[in-house]
Amino acid sequence: MADSPVAQGLLRRLELVDGGLDSAELAAELGVDHQAVVGAVKSLQALGEIIDAELRSTKHWELTAEGQEIDREGSHEARVFHSVPPEGLPQTLLPQRLPSGKVGFSKAMSNKWIRVDKSAADGPRVFRVVDSVEDEVQRRLQLVRSGQAEKLGEKERSELKKRKLLTEVTLKNYWVSKGSAFSTSISKQEAELNPEMISNGSWRDRPFKSYNFSAHGILPDSGHLHPLLKVRTQFRQIFLEMGFTEMPTDNFIESSFWNFDALFQPQQHPARDQHDTFFLKDPADSLQLPMDYVRRVKRIHSHGGYGSQGYKYNWKLDEARKNLLRTHTTAASARALYRLAQKKPFTPAKYFSIDRVFRNETLDATHLAEFHQIEGVVADHGLTLGHLMGVLREFFTKLGITQLRFKPAYNPYTEPSMEVFSYHQGLKKWVEVGNSGLFRPEMLLPMGLPENVSVIAWGLSLERPTMIKYNINNIRELVGHKVNLQMVYNSPLCRLDAERGSPQTQETT
Ligand code: FB9
């Protein structure tokens, strides 16, 4: 800070000199760390022209830890020489006496300070060759330590550096001098203009910290969209740009009639059992059903009609009234198509829905008792399987999926039906990406749709593409009470047509 003791000390010393000050020398004088002086220099510079500071790189030599030891105790070779008495010494006794005896021994031998007599009866003995030695290494290190490294020749310095006794240190110091607006009285700078200053006019004689226009604003706290909702938006965008209208899906609770019977799904179908479907206790039954339409549905199930033989069973209204958590958004499609059939004359329509559905299934890493189903429906005169394939190619291409294959399948309410597969580059295999088909006449005709109107439809889940796009392997990391909210905060915007693992990250608040 500009009004810190270090800054004040710097200004007071600067006032007493004509030239300038070296920041490292000043740190030594003030008894503070060099970085504290650098901080004071920067804070004073931020106030304007109070000081001038020129960054200077200076190099100097310092002793390494081993160099400091030799400076104090003498070189290894000198200490080996002094450890050999005039009468000599068994060579085996040398290492125990000196920690760096090995280094010192070879150096003392190469200096011809000592010799080894291998003829001795009790093994090799070390003898002195000279009476005294000059410890040049220690002398040179003492010169460096006392700041006289320049007295060493280049050869001597590089030899000490090679023995790792010396190291060259680069110091970035500041040469500080008085600025054009030099002053020793630095008053505390105001960082904020407050109402009191404005009202009593004290702002006029207060120094203000210069405004940092390039400072980033504080990122405001905001809500964060869950990855599922980001991907839902992407799918919604794809449907809208293909001219589809979103169906109302604001009823999780549905009657068995709309969820199953209207779709020509027989009342004894296994999917209608408790183990696949969540039935409601209260309210257990839907009392308001379009009875004219119900009668036509009853007839098509129990006796057939429109060329169909039906299922020939005793269809029960009580069964149709049973409330449940919808098992697919195709229930909403049935409602939408029934509404469309009431409008005369018939007009073609394209509908879509993306919402939660519930199934009493075995839970695992990729399946919960609920998921979001995505469904597309097109009703028009003379639609065929070819139209369905074409619409599927267009739809999945917008997801970035171009390699499609269609596999014959079975659904109770569509005929023909197809499972849709795509080649997954990452997994190097074909993976199922959805299901599709043409709704059966036994479903459409009792609604009142004209005979030459056909309806193509397809479905997929929202969770699967989301997990793939966000690299999530366990669905519990995506939804549920164990979700790490930070994942939600960090999840980038995801563009479905981009390659996996590289969600198009845009700044998401
Ligand atoms: O979503 C699925 N797979 C998928 C979808 C998109 C995707 O995108 C990639 C990143 C680019 C990747 C994978 N599936 C359908 C296939 C499988 O995941 C499957 O194991 C799970 N299925 C769910 C139902 O399982 C009980 C996904 C869900 C599903 C299946 C069928 C329909 C809807 C959802 C349907 C339908 C339908 C058929 C005809 C007429 C109307 C609706």
Side-chain angles (χ1 to χ4, degrees):
M1 297 294 284
D3 54 355
S4 70
V6 175
Q8 295 300 330
L10 185 155
L11 293 172
R12 279 197 303 276
R13 277 168 179 68
L14 199 50
E15 187 179 33
L16 303 176
V17 299
D18 293 335
L21 292 170
D22 176 83
S23 59
E25 290 169 10
L26 180 63
E29 271 180 55
L30 297 175
V32 298
D33 186 86
H34 183 243
Q35 281 312 310
V37 173
V38 171
V41 167
K42 290 184 181 301
S43 59
L44 289 168
Q45 281 181 306
L47 296 181
E49 303 303 313
I50 293 171
I51 60 169
D52 288 335
E54 177 200 338
L55 185 60
R56 288 178 175 178
S57 260
T58 56
K59 292 187 176 184
H60 69 276
W61 294 93
E62 285 184 1
L63 304 189
T64 61
E66 190 180 353
Q68 290 168 30
E69 185 206 340
I70 292 176
D71 172 30
R72 286 193 309 274
E73 317 284 344
S75 66
H76 305 313
E77 54 271 32
R79 290 160 66 189
V80 165
F81 173 78
H82 292 301
S83 70
V84 176
E87 68 277 14
L89 176 78
Q91 187 174 355
T92 50
L93 291 186
L94 252 186
Q96 292 85 340
R97 289 192 175 192
L98 293 164
S100 319
K102 200 170 179 184
V103 171
F105 177 77
S106 57
K107 272 284 175 195
M109 289 289 283
S110 62
N111 289 351
K112 298 190 178 356
W113 290 356
I114 57 174
R115 67 181 173 82
V116 176
D117 177 358
K118 296 185 177 175
S119 63
D122 55 352
R125 274 183 87 82
V126 181
F127 291 93
R128 289 186 180 186
V129 174
V130 293
D131 297 333
S132 65
V133 296
E134 290 293 322
D135 191 348
E136 270 299 306
V137 171
Q138 183 184 35
R139 185 185 68 78
R140 290 167 189 168
L141 291 175
Q142 286 167 344
L143 277 179
V144 173
R145 189 242 306 148
S146 57
Q148 304 172 69
E150 69 282 358
K151 291 183 177 173
L152 295 183
E154 182 52 40
K155 182 171 174 292
E156 291 159 340
R157 259 204 309 269
S158 59
E159 190 186 311
L160 293 174
K161 196 176 169 190
K162 190 178 164 190
R163 287 183 64 173
K164 294 188 173 50
L165 305 178
L166 205 54
T167 179
E168 188 170 33
V169 175
T170 301
L171 262 188
K172 291 189 185 299
N173 297 4
Y174 282 96
W175 182 255
V176 184
S177 52
K178 296 185 183 73
S180 56
F182 179 74
S183 163
T184 56
S185 57
I186 301 293
S187 56
K188 181 172 168 39
Q189 286 183 309
E190 299 297 341
E192 285 182 359
L193 177 63
N194 59 42
E196 190 192 347
M197 291 176 186
I198 294 172
S199 57
N200 64 22
S202 62
W203 62 272
R204 297 179 190 283
D205 54 14
R206 295 275 183 89
F208 281 85
K209 203 172 178 188
S210 53
Y211 201 83
N212 175 5
F213 287 98
S214 54
H216 286 281
I218 298 168
L219 199 65
D221 261 345
S222 68
H224 299 268
L225 282 175
H226 188 281
L228 268 183
L229 302 184
K230 292 176 184 174
V231 176
R232 183 180 69 177
T233 302
Q234 294 286 304
F235 274 105
R236 180 173 284 137
Q237 188 54 34
I238 288 170
F239 275 114
L240 292 174
E241 69 190 32
M242 289 175 72
F244 284 65
T245 306
E246 189 154 12
M247 291 181 264
T249 56
D250 53 349
N251 62 306
F252 289 171
I253 296 173
E254 187 55 277
S255 65
S256 296
F257 176 77
W258 286 109
N259 198 80
F260 294 121
D261 298 281
L263 303 178
F264 194 54
Q265 193 150 344
Q267 293 187 335
Q268 62 275 40
H269 191 283
R272 298 181 69 152
D273 289 352
Q274 296 267 359
H275 65 275
D276 274 6
T277 302
F278 292 110
F279 286 94
L280 268 71
K281 279 184 182 161
D282 183 18
D285 297 309
S286 281
L287 304 177
Q288 289 183 335
L289 294 174
M291 291 317 289
D292 287 348
Y293 175 38
V294 168
R295 276 188 283 277
R296 293 195 296 273
V297 169
K298 170 175 179 160
R299 188 177 314 113
I300 195 74
H301 277 247
S302 44
H303 302 296
Y306 316 102
S308 165
Q309 61 176 4
Y311 289 114
K312 298 186 181 354
Y313 71 96
N314 178 21
W315 184 88
K316 295 188 173 64
L317 179 57
D318 290 352
E319 187 60 36
R321 287 192 185 283
K322 285 180 181 175
N323 282 333
L324 47 76
L325 290 180
R326 67 181 175 215
T327 62
H328 48 196
T329 48
T330 318
S333 303
R335 285 175 177 268
L337 289 168
Y338 177 70
R339 272 194 308 277
L340 179 67
Q342 308 323 299
K343 291 177 196 159
K344 307 297 182 188
F346 166 79
T347 47
K350 297 188 285 191
Y351 298 128
F352 78 94
S353 61
I354 308 173
D355 213 331
R356 290 163 73 178
V357 296
F358 308 86
R359 298 194 185 178
N360 193 355
E361 283 198 326
T362 312
L363 311 183
D364 62 25
T366 56
H367 290 85
L368 293 176
E370 62 177 272
F371 65 92
H372 288 75
Q373 180 172 337
I374 298 167
E375 183 153 331
V377 177
V378 181
D380 201 344
H381 298 285
L383 291 181
T384 67
L385 205 57
H387 293 99
L388 175 57
M389 290 174 168
V391 169
L392 287 172
R393 286 196 192 284
E394 180 67 19
F395 176 78
F396 280 102
T397 300
K398 290 176 181 290
L399 294 183
I401 294 179
T402 50
Q403 281 182 288
L404 281 190
R405 277 184 179 170
F406 303 105
K407 180 183 171 189
Y410 173 75
N411 291 318
Y413 41 87
T414 53
E415 185 56 37
S417 306
M418 301 183 300
E419 282 170 349
V420 188
F421 286 80
S422 155
Y423 190 73
H424 193 290
Q425 293 297 344
L427 302 175
K428 298 286 185 241
K429 67 177 186 177
W430 289 88
V431 295
E432 185 186 351
V433 292
N435 194 306
S436 65
L438 280 83
F439 284 132
R440 298 180 62 147
E442 296 92 333
M443 168 182 165
L444 302 178
L445 295 176
M447 289 181 173
L449 287 167
E451 283 210 9
N452 61 357
V453 166
S454 46
V455 180
I456 58 177
W458 73 97
L460 63 156
S461 78
L462 185 64
E463 281 78 5
R464 290 297 294 137
T466 303
M467 288 172 73
I468 289 171
K469 281 295 180 180
Y470 281 88
N471 272 329
I472 294 172
N473 299 318
N474 188 319
I475 194 154
R476 286 164 184 74
E477 292 170 30
L478 181 69
V479 289
H481 64 289
K482 292 185 176 172
V483 166
N484 170 6
L485 281 185
Q486 202 57 48
M487 176 278 289
V488 178
Y489 302 161
N490 300 341
S491 63
L493 196 62
C494 181
R495 278 211 4 254
L496 281 172
D497 58 350
E499 264 310 295
R500 168 186 137 157
S502 56
Q504 305 307 306
T505 46
Q506 294 174 10
E507 273 313 301
T508 48
T509 51

